[in-house]
Amino acid sequence: MIDSRAVIDPKAKVAEGVEVGPWSYIGPEVEIGPGSVIHSHVVIKGPTQIGKNNRIFQFASVGEDCQDKKYQGEPTRLEIGDNNIIREGCTIHRGTVQDNSATIIGNNNLFMAYVHVGHDSIIEDDCIFANNAAIAGHVKVGRGAILGGYTTVHQFCMVGAYSMSAAHTAVFKDIPAFVMVSGNPAEAHGMNFEGMRRRQYSPELIKILRQAYKVVYRQGLTLEEALAKLSVLEKGYAEVSVFIKSLEASTRGITR
């Protein structure tokens, strides 16, 4: 299952049954879980831990030193969960000691060709990064978020759960959960209601989320004023709580 032309450091831990294609390099302090497929011409450096059933395509660079002038070779790490697809030419960097020393990626994510994930970023589960999307360092991306092609996200921004950006969007502020954005700089354009229907949200829940969006974006309120009104709409719906918490967690201000 490992091509004879691949280079695997003796200190790497590659589970039985992992496929490694020709001319790939797997360095020391790299762990790869069972069922994973590493195609040809992939470079994986450590410390990096990769879970089960991941697929990494040609010319991807995974676990490389970060692009930060403060980085001085400290042993920072990259953690990748299970069932992720990392397509051609992606670059995913390890963390820095100035943050939590780790870049962390969850499960079931799709990174299309030439995506960049900067140091110390945290990406939860079920996200899609379309071709050439790029996030800078210290970015947090919530579950189920979708970044359109060529989207760029400024460092320390938060991309809320189930939010979505259009192609060529430039994000400089936090995107609340479920919100759709586009433009340079990014502006809010409603919620991802089609995505809600695909996830089989009830009509009542979608109606309440629509009302919550209007409170924040259509009534001319400050964020503090809007949060005070949103508590009435919560009604025990976990999804409304997710939206509210994403607003409360914002440190850079929300995309308007």
Side-chain angles (χ1 to χ4, degrees):
M1 306 295 284
I2 297 177
D3 192 281
S4 60
R5 293 162 290 184
V7 177
I8 300 178
D9 191 278
K11 296 180 180 179
K13 297 180 180 178
V14 179
E16 186 175 352
V18 170
E19 296 183 30
V20 182
W23 300 294
S24 284
Y25 170 76
I26 299 175
E29 299 185 89
V30 173
E31 297 183 26
I32 302 176
S36 294
V37 178
I38 313 301
H39 290 266
S40 67
H41 299 88
V42 173
V43 174
I44 305 177
K45 295 184 178 180
T48 291
Q49 183 175 356
I50 298 174
K52 300 179 296 184
N53 301 318
N54 293 283
R55 296 169 61 199
I56 304 178
F57 285 74
Q58 56 267 26
F59 306 110
S61 176
V62 177
E64 184 56 271
D65 294 353
C66 65
Q67 299 176 134
D68 189 321
K69 292 178 72 174
K70 298 187 298 296
Y71 181 72
Q72 299 297 320
E74 300 90 350
T76 58
R77 67 190 189 278
L78 167 65
E79 300 175 8
I80 298 177
D82 303 332
N83 305 308
N84 296 286
I85 299 174
I86 300 170
R87 294 299 307 235
E88 301 89 332
C90 289
T91 53
I92 303 175
H93 291 168
R94 303 193 316 278
T96 64
V97 294
Q98 286 76 23
D99 198 328
N100 64 357
S101 297
T103 301
I104 301 173
I105 295 173
N107 308 312
N108 305 307
N109 297 293
L110 169 59
F111 301 95
M112 297 186 192
Y114 305 105
V115 162
H116 174 68
V117 176
H119 60 87
D120 300 292
S121 290
I122 299 174
I123 300 169
E124 295 185 3
D125 302 339
D126 303 312
C127 297
I128 298 174
F129 287 42
N131 298 320
N132 293 95
I135 62 174
H138 315 282
V139 170
K140 295 181 179 179
V141 182
R143 177 187 295 269
I146 300 174
L147 298 184
Y150 292 90
T151 291
T152 56
V153 182
H154 193 277
Q155 61 182 352
F156 294 102
C157 280
M158 177 195 69
V159 179
Y162 305 110
S163 62
M164 183 175 182
S165 72
H168 298 276
T169 298
V171 178
F172 298 100
K173 294 186 177 182
D174 298 330
I175 305 174
F178 302 104
V179 171
M180 299 180 66
V181 301
S182 67
N184 181 4
E187 295 181 355
H189 294 279
M191 280 186 166
N192 187 10
F193 295 114
E194 180 58 34
M196 295 178 193
R197 296 184 188 98
R198 293 177 181 178
R199 291 189 293 274
Q200 299 183 336
Y201 286 11
S202 69
E204 180 182 1
L205 173 56
I206 292 174
K207 180 180 179 181
I208 292 173
L209 285 167
R210 191 186 300 273
Q211 292 173 350
Y213 179 87
K214 289 180 178 179
V215 168
V216 177
Y217 287 95
R218 294 289 184 264
Q219 296 184 9
L221 303 175
T222 65
L223 183 56
E224 291 74 17
E225 292 168 339
L227 284 168
K229 294 186 69 173
L230 285 174
S231 60
V232 178
L233 296 174
E234 194 166 358
K235 297 181 180 179
Y237 284 107
E239 293 80 3
V240 180
S241 297
V242 168
F243 178 61
I244 293 172
K245 289 178 181 178
S246 72
L247 298 171
E248 293 173 336
S250 175
T251 59
R252 294 182 57 84
I254 63 170
T255 302
R256 290 281 193 171

